[in-house]
């Protein structure tokens, strides 16, 4: 009976029958897209390098474009496929990921544009390769949050969440970078930490008991392999993500090398920790697909700072340990004790490694001698005292600023995530039906094998085996009596 | 019985037993590859930058190579996986895609070489990075046509189709670009429109009733996700596709930005339209995987022309609407009224958005002031009047040329596609068996789960559920009596 | 009964119960990672371009970074997914691939560093973009060997194998390149040939009867498509792999063009040969996914040497033929006659085409006139006589050197592989249980559908069909009596 009910279209649910709820998505998207376009029409213009100018300066394109494309692949393939690990939520993962990314790109360009100097001077904000890139960064924030909420929101709720989170994240980033002059080259503080804790706070207010231990919340063999497509593309291109904004060229190469080494050490550590902490001494695909990436987050803020290969390796090792321990022990605690359910474990991949990156950034500014950076010191720490900036702040002030930046991100993300969660729970918004958490069926036209492939597949084992041993009527009955040691842990 | 028959090898079919038909593929490929190699031996040489010349000019490689590789990924991963959406045709989609692309690359290099100035002057055509790139473009034409014919041709038929289409497409492109001086930077007219309408015309002559509403013509849950791998790689790298041929650097950056914005707006519009036009207010994966890309096609011809971000967004919105409406209403009409079956819906992804691009290119040449392009005007419109080209044509003449180019492509693709279709139907060529449309089994060695995975999987639901509720003999019979509301729309 | 047994955790096996075996992986990885980090701490430093130096020289990054990233994708996505073709070994393929690659990157950097001039002069080895790249190359060697041993080793055995193979491969490569001045730009000799024959020799000592014709050693429909993700990314980015080390710019472009053409010709030949040699005239996905790549190996050593497009095409054709013939006739012979089991057929994809590349490199140095290379001769053959190197060796000496290099690689890889295989068989190391060859279950936490999806799926066909025709008790019995022509070859 319950089975049958779960197949019905969700508009049969009386709560869902009102016309406004049925057309909610349509109305909101039409209105928002229209507003965005009006704002683009009024205030956006292409930057000089994009407009006909007679110059043939290829440097910006040839130096940044390949790294921009790597980042672009991370946002759409990387995040999208990493979230396909749920057995019944693959369509949503990869599609809603695409929708929210595009939505954030447009909205983020507007918000960032309005905060730009160009806008304050000329009343126009500019769009060029750099803006496409920072728009992808803004999308990353939202997609990390999506990871915490995965399977628990309707499309309209995801969209409202994005609408609220994007301007807050960009506003906070603006002040972290421009007011406190924080160095966060790979965005571990302003992207990863913000996205993760916004999502966790949102999940807190939003959680309910039915979401936890839901039968849909798990993977099947093929969905775990899909997730690896996303994971490996994130892994491979993470050096580009951390390095693309770094200046000058030496800092960019350093960011690439540091991220590369940190990821390698983190990956080896993840395999080590995953097996060592497992009761059966087996690897867990959740760790392989997620914790291996923590090394990219943990080195993110300081990818342009670290000057010794060993330090990059050490950071990777710590990140891998922290992330596996997080998945193994902290995530269950968050769910059971604090009622915070974290579908993708973003706390372990983005949250804690992001905080680690923030803390390390404060420590390293004290540990390394500013003179080591020579003339490029102010390209890393714009406000620090140097030959060319005699009025700059001291190393300890910079360290303090790094910590203030981290604290600001933590406080703002938790607060705004909490309030957003409360808003998303409002009855006027479409809500996920309880039986249909982590499932595509209510939002996507699904092919005829959907229920079979994603839900029932393991149960058939019983019949199959009996058939194999010359199925008879009596045997069919017998099959059901097979003791429970047949089922797998 | 029919079931059994469909499993037999297709050479059991009496029509297929002749030795010439059995060895058709072998003979044709050996002969053609031999001819291609003779022509390469006689006429091909590497260009100067590829030959030892003592220079160390990296500009061509560093500026174009990354965009070339993005395009290369689009051709082989993008098109290949986008067509894996059919449940029983994944091997063919990704493999035949690879075969036809390689075949077109060789054949296209020869055809384009013979039409080149270098060949007329020195009797040799040259091969370099630029030629690898345009060969990939030629492959795109054929792969779009393949999308319309997907699942309805045998390998030898696909190959003959490619053999005919490639020189016609390149010949027409040559005259559109060199005789009529049409600006078609992203190839929406000469690549997308040509490929789509050649395919539709081919499908018209070729169609038969059995192809339509065939039980194999549908997806399964996993095949829809495979298709998204292709779709997203196309989506992510489309800015490179539209920009790689643009000169100078500012036009290239503009092409990137315009394509990026158009795709974002198109994607949001696709989600909007897909849900709004659906009876159950659900998204359709066919739209998500295909219509989201229409924004790349619609801006293609004019990616280097558009000077305002808003215009790019508007074009994306129109393309998304057009494409979803096409899938929803026009494709069924084409099939039922005109007998034109379009497996991948290339009319909605490439055809109509390509025509839209052509029309927009004529409009925009009138709307924008030629002076806005300054010195780079003639790099966009080589024949237009400018300071350095006093004898050039007017803006309205250029607009007319754009329309002539579009018309030429439409007429030539429809005519040649129609004739090619008639040729492919000849009895002497191997034909797909009626029961085996959209199926790998006749052409690929398939693993033991092929029938189960791709065909039968949904039916087993019945047994499975009864087993779940303590399967007994009586219940098995009962299962079959469950009313039809159990089955999914 | 056996079925039940195979599901039990492998530590239930009495041979596996000792604590040292249970913690083997943990202990070895901790010790090795600690040693690596100590060595990095003592001896590694970043190169000048990576350290703050005030310069803004983008050339190294802009020219090499995109090709480095292409190579990086090949190592992690390409090799990883190519090996997912086994139905029950997808988790291992993609994960262990990642683990071994990261392990080799760290270990390879140390070994190569210790052999570097910088280390001999200053006691430090340097790390920069070039070293990340050559570390990826070192990983390729190990991953090719992994292909031969796929499914037959436990994680700790893979790791010990890597630990031994990496320094030998790098040491041999060092002498091939620096002592014998061999040109091997794409690494076909020192990477592909070494990796393949090390693996085959290892497999020889290691093989046992149960590995051959194991029911797990095969694909399912979806796993063949996964493998194509890896295959196509390898195919698309192979020009970058062969070209990235080539100097000057013209040689790099030549390497790209030659590899591109060779791959196209090889792909067409693979389809041709696969169908022509098949009893049912069907394509075989094993050939499509592997032999199409042989053209990249066969041209690897001489990608910067070949000066005529036709020669590149010819090499591709020969490689494709050789590889398909290898899969069809040589691999079965190796298994049955020599007892060498080769899971991925690396002999056909890397081994024989690598030897072909080596032989061709000796032939072409005689065939081409050294004067054709002008001033860049010594960038290809550093030891050859030229205007600027009057004391250089002759073309025939260079040809001899190429053969010596090839022979050295063959002898060293076979010997060291054999010895490594003997070591890996030691009882003190965890061994794969006989029933669990080519299976994830002993090493990875697997989802509940693991057995069903990967093993049982085809058998259920029987019930399914009977259900479809109104399943009754009698019919169920009947199903089992259906004669064997129902089963597929």
């Amino acid at each position: 009976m319950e089975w049958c009910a779960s197949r019905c279209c969700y508009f049969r649910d009386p709560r869902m029958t009102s016309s406004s709820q049925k057309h909610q998505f349509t109305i909101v998207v039409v209105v928002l897209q229209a507003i965005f376009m009006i704002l683009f029409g009024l205030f956006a213009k292409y930057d000089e390098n994009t407009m006909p100018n007679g110059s043939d300066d290829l440097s910006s394109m040839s130096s940044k474009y390949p790294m921009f494309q790597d980042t672009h692949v991370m946002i759409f393939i990387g995040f999208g496929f990493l979230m396909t690990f749920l057995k019944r939520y693959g369509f949503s993962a990869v599609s809603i990921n695409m929708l929210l990314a595009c939505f954030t790109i447009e909205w983020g360009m507007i918000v960032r544009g309005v905060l730009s100097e160009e806008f304050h001077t000329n009343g126009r904000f500019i769009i060029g390769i750099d803006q496409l890139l920072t728009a992808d960064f803004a999308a990353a924030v939202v997609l990390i949050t999506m990871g915490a909420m995965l399977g628990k929101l309707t499309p309209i709720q995801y969209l409202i969440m994005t609408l609220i989170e994007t301007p807050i994240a960009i506003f906070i980033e603006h002040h972290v970078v421009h007011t406190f002059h924080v160095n966060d080259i790979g965005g571990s503080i302003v992207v990863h930490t913000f996205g993760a804790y916004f999502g966790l706070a949102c999940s807190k207010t939003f959680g309910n008991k039915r979401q936890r231990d839901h039968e849909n919340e798990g993977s099947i063999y093929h969905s775990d392999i899909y997730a690896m497509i996303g994971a490996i593309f994130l892994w491979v291109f993470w050096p580009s993500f951390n390095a693309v904004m770094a200046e000058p060229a030496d800092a960019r190469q350093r960011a690439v090398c540091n991220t590369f080494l940190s990821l390698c050490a983190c990956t080896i550590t993840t395999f080590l920790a995953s097996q060592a902490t497992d009761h059966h001494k087996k690897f867990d695909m959740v760790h392989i697909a997620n914790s291996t990436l923590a090394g990219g987050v943990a080195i993110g803020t300081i990818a342009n700072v670290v000057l010794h290969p060993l330090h990059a390796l050490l950071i990777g090792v710590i990140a891998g340990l922290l992330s596996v321990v997080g998945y193994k022990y902290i995530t269950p605690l968050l769910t059971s004790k604090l009622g915070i359910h974290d579908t993708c474990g973003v706390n372990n991949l983005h949250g804690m490694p992001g905080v680690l990156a923030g803390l390390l950034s404060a420590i390293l500014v004290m540990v390394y001698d500013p003179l080591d950076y020579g003339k490029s010191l102010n390209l890393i720490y714009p406000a620090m005292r140097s030959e060319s900036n005699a009025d700059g702040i001291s190393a300890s002030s910079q360290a303090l600023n790094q910590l203030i930046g981290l604290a600001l991100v933590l406080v703002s993300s938790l607060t705004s995530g909490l309030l957003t969660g409360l808003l998303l729970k409002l009855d006027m918004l479409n809500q996920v039906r309880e039986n249909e958490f982590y499932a595509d069926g209510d939002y996507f036209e699904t092919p005829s094998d959907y229920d079979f492939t994603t839900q029932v597949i393991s149960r058939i084992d019983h019949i199959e085996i009996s058939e194999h041993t010359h199925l008879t009527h009596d045997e069919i009955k017998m099959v059901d009596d097979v003791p429970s040691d047949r089922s797998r842990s």
Side-chain angles (χ1 to χ4, degrees), chain A residues 405-416:
Chain A
L406 177 63
L408 186 60
V409 161
L410 283 171
V411 170
S412 62
S413 62
L414 287 169
T415 317
S416 56

Side-chain angles (χ1 to χ4, degrees), chain A residues 82-118:
Chain A
L82 185 61
M83 293 194 280
T84 57
F85 76 99
L86 288 172
K87 57 185 162 188
R88 283 170 83 74
Y89 206 62
F91 286 6
S92 300
V94 82
S95 302
I96 303 288
N97 180 85
M98 202 175 175
L99 173 65
L100 297 191
C102 288
F103 190 83
T104 314
I105 284 169
E106 291 190 8
W107 185 212
M109 278 181 176
I110 294 169
V111 174
R112 212 184 289 273
V114 167
L115 292 171
S116 70
E117 268 187 56
E118 183 76 15

Side-chain angles (χ1 to χ4, degrees), chain A residues 134-152:
Chain A
T134 51
D136 270 352
F137 275 52
V141 178
V142 167
L143 300 178
I144 291 165
T145 302
M146 180 184 167
M149 299 303 292
L150 196 71
K152 298 178 285 192

Side-chain angles (χ1 to χ4, degrees), chain A residues 82 228 231 234-235 238 262-275 277 284-298 315-329 331 344-350 352-353:
Chain A
L82 185 61
M228 287 304 290
L234 286 171
W235 198 95
W238 210 294
S262 177
L263 284 168
C264 286
C266 179
T267 300
I268 294 174
T269 308
T270 297
F271 277 85
L272 175 71
S274 180
Q275 205 230 29
T277 59
D284 187 328
M285 288 308 283
V286 172
H287 306 157
I288 311 295
N290 292 278
S291 298
T292 52
L293 299 165
V297 179
I315 291 167
V317 167
I318 298 168
L321 283 176
L322 183 67
S323 183
V324 172
V325 166
Y327 274 104
K328 201 81 192 175
Y329 307 108
T331 295
C344 290
V346 299
N347 185 45
N348 314 305
L349 165 47
H350 304 279
M352 294 190 301

Side-chain angles (χ1 to χ4, degrees), chain A residues 178-287:
Chain A
H178 290 100
T179 308
F180 295 100
H181 308 291
V182 167
N183 170 48
D184 186 20
I185 198 70
S188 299
I189 299 173
V190 296
V191 172
H192 296 284
T193 306
F194 191 97
Y197 291 106
F198 186 98
L200 291 174
C202 193
S203 184
K204 167 66 189 170
T205 66
F206 205 77
N208 77 30
K209 208 146 185 205
R210 242 343 240 122
Q211 285 170 10
R212 315 208 277 268
D213 307 317
H214 195 289
E215 61 171 353
N216 288 345
E217 202 206 357
S219 65
I220 52 177
Y221 194 66
H222 286 157
S223 69
D224 271 328
I225 296 181
Y226 286 130
M228 287 304 290
I229 300 174
I232 297 182
F233 272 108
L234 286 171
W235 198 95
V236 163
F237 288 146
W238 210 294
S240 298
F241 189 93
N242 280 351
V244 63
M245 304 297 282
E247 298 282 353
D250 63 66
R252 190 178 290 180
Q253 295 195 47
R254 203 156 61 239
V256 166
C257 293
N258 280 324
T259 309
F260 185 95
L261 289 177
S262 177
L263 284 168
C264 286
C266 179
T267 300
I268 294 174
T269 308
T270 297
F271 277 85
L272 175 71
S274 180
Q275 205 230 29
T277 59
D278 187 75
H279 186 65
H280 300 101
K281 299 290 164 204
K282 296 182 181 187
F283 303 115
D284 187 328
M285 288 308 283
V286 172
H287 306 157

Side-chain angles (χ1 to χ4, degrees), chain A residues 383-398:
Chain A
M384 259 177 84
R385 191 181 307 134
S386 71
E387 271 183 39
S388 59
N389 183 17
D391 301 333
I393 61 175
S394 67
S396 51
S397 299
Q398 178 69 37

